[in-house]
Amino acid sequence: MKNRYITIYMFGLLFASATLFNGCKKSDLSPAPTTAIDANDAFTSPGKVDAAMVGLYNLFSSGRYMNAMLLQADVKGEDIYIRQSGNYNRFDQAYRFLEIPTNTQQLFWEAGYQLIANCNLAISKIPVAPLTDSDKKKYLAEARAMRAATYFNLVRCYGKPYSLDPAALGVPKSDVPLNPTSELLARATVKEIYDFILEDLNYAAENLPASLNKISRLTLPAVQGLLSRVYLSMGNKWAEASNFAKLARTGHPLDEKSNLLNGFYKASGEWIWDLEYTADNNPGFVGAASFHEPYDVGYSTFRADIDFHALFGANDIRKQQFLISDAGYGDPLLRDYEVEDAGGFLMNKFYFKDGFDGSVVLMRSAEMFLNEAEAEAELGNWGPAQTALFEVQKRAVTGAVQSVNTGDALKTEIQIERRKELYGEGFRIFDILRRKETLKRTSSSHWFKVTMAPGDNKFLMPIPQDEIDANSKIVQNPR
C-alpha cells in the first residue's frame, strides 16, 4: 500500500457547495466534503478554474484542519486551558501533550496533505488552462501561497522550531501531483521546508495583483503578513520580518477600541485574512469560537488561566472580553460581569453564532505591529520597537504611555502584549517554541501542570500511525 496521505492520488479538486461541511453536530470532528469535480475537467474553463480555487479555500477552512490548528496552538500554552471534566475529549490529549499516533488529532496531518495534493494539482494544471497570462499568474500565486501556508502549519507542529534546529527532521516535501506509482517520500529537514515555503511566498508576493481585496482569499497583504510570520519564526531574519509586517498592515489601520468587544465574528478594516463561513457552509460545532464561548451553546470548554487574566489592567478594554451578558446567549455581547469557572475565567472574546455563519480571523494589523515591535527590538532598534508596540497599547489601554524600556525588559513587554492581544487566535505555543522559551504551567488553574524546556520532544506531534504503516521512509517523532 502506498503512502496513505502524502501519495493521496486525488479523486478531484473539492468544489464549493452548500453541502460541503454537511451540517456537523458536536460529535462530528471531521465532516466529509460531499461535492467534487473531476480533476481532468476542473481546469477546462475560467469559471471551473475559479471554482477549483474556491475548493482549495474550503479545504483550508475545514474544522479538522485550520480550526483544529488554531485551537491546539492556544490550549498547549499556559494562558488558556481545557476544562478537566465535560470536555468531550476534544483537545484533552493536546493540552496534556499526550497525543498518540492513532488519535483524532492526527486528522490535521491528513487534511494538510490532502490540501497540499490539491494545491500541487492546481499548480500543474493552471499553466495549460485556457486563461490569460495575468490570470495564470494570479491563480498560481494563490495556489502556491496556500501550499506555503499549509506547509508552515505542518512543519511547526511536526518539526522542531527553525530557530532551535533547522537541520532537524521536518515533514515530507511534495511539489508535484502524486499517484499510486509515485516514489515514497521521506521527511525533509526543517530548513528545506522553510526554503520551499519562502520560495512559494516570494513568488506569490511578486505575482498577486495589488488590486485583489477579498480577505477570505489570499491577497498581497496576507502574503506579506505570512512572510513576516515565517521570517519571525526563523529567529535570524528580523529586518525582513519587520519590513513585511509594515507592508502587510498598509491599508489596514487598527480599528477603534470598541471593535475589540464586537465578538470577532465579522470582518473589519483591521482584518487582513479570514475564514468566511455561511449558514450552510461551515464547520458547525467544531469551529474555533465554539470552544471559547461562555454560554454552553457550543463546546464551551476553554477557560482563561487566572494568572493570564491578571495581566489585564482595569483601564484595558480587553479586560471586558471576559465579561458575559446578564441576558445570556439571548444578547451574548452585552458585558455585565465576570464568571470564574473550573479554576479560571469564562471568555467572551469570540461570538459563536447559532447560525454558524461567523468569520474567523487569521491575520490582522495588530499582529503586524507586534511582529514589527519584536523584530525591531531584536535588532536593538529600541525607538521603533517602542513606537510599534505603543500603537497596540494606546488603542486598548486608556491613558497608555509609550514604553521607555529597552533590552530584555522591552522584549518581555512585547511578548506580554502579544499574549493579551492575540489570545485565542492560534499563536501562543508557536511563540513559545520559536522564541526558545520554557513552557511553565504552574498556576492553580491548570489541572495538568507542566514545565517543558526548549527542544523537549513532547512539543512534537506524533506522525499518524497510518502514515508510518504505509510509508517505510517515514521516521516517527520521538516522545
Side-chain angles (χ1 to χ4, degrees):
M1 177 180 177
K2 284 290 185 182
N3 183 310
R4 181 175 176 183
Y5 301 136
I6 300 171
T7 315
I8 189 165
Y9 42 98
M10 294 313 295
F11 45 82
L13 271 144
L14 295 185
F15 183 73
S17 81
T19 58
L20 184 62
F21 290 105
N22 206 25
C24 69
K25 304 174 184 177
K26 281 191 180 184
S27 61
D28 297 329
L29 182 61
S30 55
T34 59
T35 303
I37 53 178
D38 181 75
N40 293 322
D41 188 49
F43 300 92
T44 56
S45 72
K48 289 181 178 180
V49 172
D50 196 66
M53 296 302 295
V54 171
L56 294 182
Y57 287 98
N58 280 321
L59 281 172
F60 192 82
S61 61
S62 72
R64 63 180 181 153
Y65 177 67
M66 196 63 205
N67 284 277
M69 197 212 74
L70 294 173
L71 291 162
Q72 65 98 13
D74 276 301
V75 80
K76 286 187 170 185
E78 76 277 52
D79 296 336
I80 292 174
Y81 63 97
I82 188 169
R83 198 170 62 191
Q84 184 172 10
S85 61
N87 59 34
Y88 303 92
N89 200 32
R90 298 198 186 276
F91 300 100
D92 170 84
Q93 290 182 349
Y95 170 67
R96 294 183 291 153
F97 294 93
L98 294 177
E99 298 109 317
I100 58 176
T102 55
N103 80 339
T104 55
Q105 188 76 17
Q106 304 313 321
L107 291 171
F108 176 69
W109 172 282
E110 176 186 355
Y113 274 103
Q114 185 181 24
L115 179 51
I116 287 167
N118 277 278
C119 287
N120 287 341
L121 185 60
I123 291 164
S124 72
K125 295 286 189 180
I126 288 169
V128 295
L131 301 168
T132 65
D133 287 344
S134 61
D135 278 348
K136 287 180 181 180
K137 286 184 178 180
K138 177 186 71 173
Y139 287 127
L140 277 173
E142 276 191 278
R144 291 185 66 169
M146 180 71 72
R147 182 171 68 181
T150 307
Y151 266 117
F152 187 49
N153 292 335
L154 287 169
V155 75
R156 290 186 299 166
C157 291
Y158 294 98
K160 289 186 181 293
Y162 185 103
S163 56
L164 182 70
D165 186 2
L169 288 178
V171 294
K173 186 183 82 169
S174 170
D175 59 359
V176 295
L178 300 176
N179 58 60
T181 63
S182 296
E183 182 180 355
L184 296 173
L185 298 173
R187 295 173 67 179
T189 67
V190 170
K191 182 182 185 303
E192 287 170 335
I193 296 298
Y194 268 75
D195 288 346
F196 189 42
I197 290 167
L198 289 172
E199 183 182 334
D200 274 348
L201 290 179
N202 283 318
Y203 177 89
E206 293 168 4
N207 290 283
L208 270 177
S211 59
L212 298 178
N213 57 15
K214 184 175 175 58
I215 67 167
S216 59
R217 293 180 71 149
L218 283 155
T219 62
L220 180 57
V223 169
Q224 291 164 336
L226 284 169
L227 280 163
S228 177
R229 285 182 185 174
V230 172
Y231 283 125
L232 204 70
S233 292
M234 294 173 74
N236 60 359
K237 296 289 185 180
W238 305 114
E240 292 87 344
S242 178
N243 291 338
F244 278 109
K246 293 184 182 79
L247 291 171
R249 62 176 170 78
T250 300
H252 293 275
L254 294 179
D255 292 332
E256 296 296 321
K257 66 170 58 180
S258 60
N259 276 45
L260 295 172
L261 304 180
N262 281 352
F264 285 83
Y265 73 98
K266 182 169 56 178
S268 71
E270 179 179 336
W271 289 24
I272 299 171
W273 189 22
D274 74 356
L275 305 176
E276 186 178 279
Y277 296 114
T278 64
D280 54 8
N281 185 355
N282 59 75
F285 285 99
V286 297
S290 170
F291 293 82
H292 287 270
E293 63 85 15
Y295 300 108
D296 201 29
V297 295
Y299 280 108
S300 190
T301 53
F302 283 17
R303 300 290 181 265
D305 168 70
I306 57 171
D307 289 348
F308 173 61
H309 176 268
L311 295 175
F312 297 82
N315 60 340
D316 189 333
I317 195 169
R318 294 169 301 191
K319 189 175 179 63
Q320 296 181 44
Q321 291 172 346
F322 299 99
L323 300 178
I324 70 170
S325 170
D326 231 351
Y329 192 65
D331 203 343
L333 294 179
L334 280 180
R335 300 180 183 276
D336 298 310
Y337 53 86
E338 292 180 338
V339 173
E340 293 189 51
D341 179 76
F345 286 85
L346 294 180
M347 295 173 286
N348 198 12
K349 180 176 179 178
F350 305 102
Y351 172 33
F352 180 58
K353 295 191 68 180
D354 55 2
F356 306 132
D357 56 334
S359 295
V360 174
V361 63
L362 296 180
M363 184 185 296
R364 55 193 179 96
S365 287
E367 178 206 345
M368 294 299 114
F369 275 110
L370 292 167
N371 285 7
E372 179 186 345
E374 178 178 340
E376 294 295 338
E378 293 293 342
L379 290 168
N381 299 330
W382 312 125
Q386 294 161 354
T387 299
L389 173 63
F390 188 55
E391 290 297 318
V392 176
Q393 292 174 322
K394 72 181 182 182
R395 190 263 297 269
V397 180
T398 301
V401 177
Q402 183 164 315
S403 177
V404 295
N405 285 331
T406 60
D408 288 343
L410 179 59
K411 294 176 184 180
T412 298
E413 185 178 1
I414 291 167
Q415 294 310 309
I416 290 174
E417 200 63 36
R418 283 185 71 89
R419 291 165 65 186
K420 292 194 293 183
E421 180 68 25
L422 301 175
Y423 76 93
E425 297 179 44
F427 290 93
R428 185 58 188 145
I429 196 61
F430 298 127
D431 284 350
I432 290 170
L433 291 171
R434 68 180 177 78
R435 292 191 61 79
K436 296 178 284 188
E437 297 175 351
T438 295
L439 170 61
K440 297 178 181 178
R441 288 190 197 150
T442 57
S443 82
S444 60
S445 288
H446 287 283
W447 54 273
F448 189 83
K449 294 176 173 55
V450 65
T451 299
M452 289 166 56
D456 193 311
N457 288 330
K458 290 191 291 294
F459 282 124
L460 298 170
M461 287 179 64
I463 293 172
Q465 190 61 46
D466 284 333
E467 191 70 75
I468 298 293
D469 293 342
N471 185 352
S472 60
K473 290 188 178 181
I474 292 290
V475 177
Q476 181 60 277
N477 277 325
R479 297 292 280 178

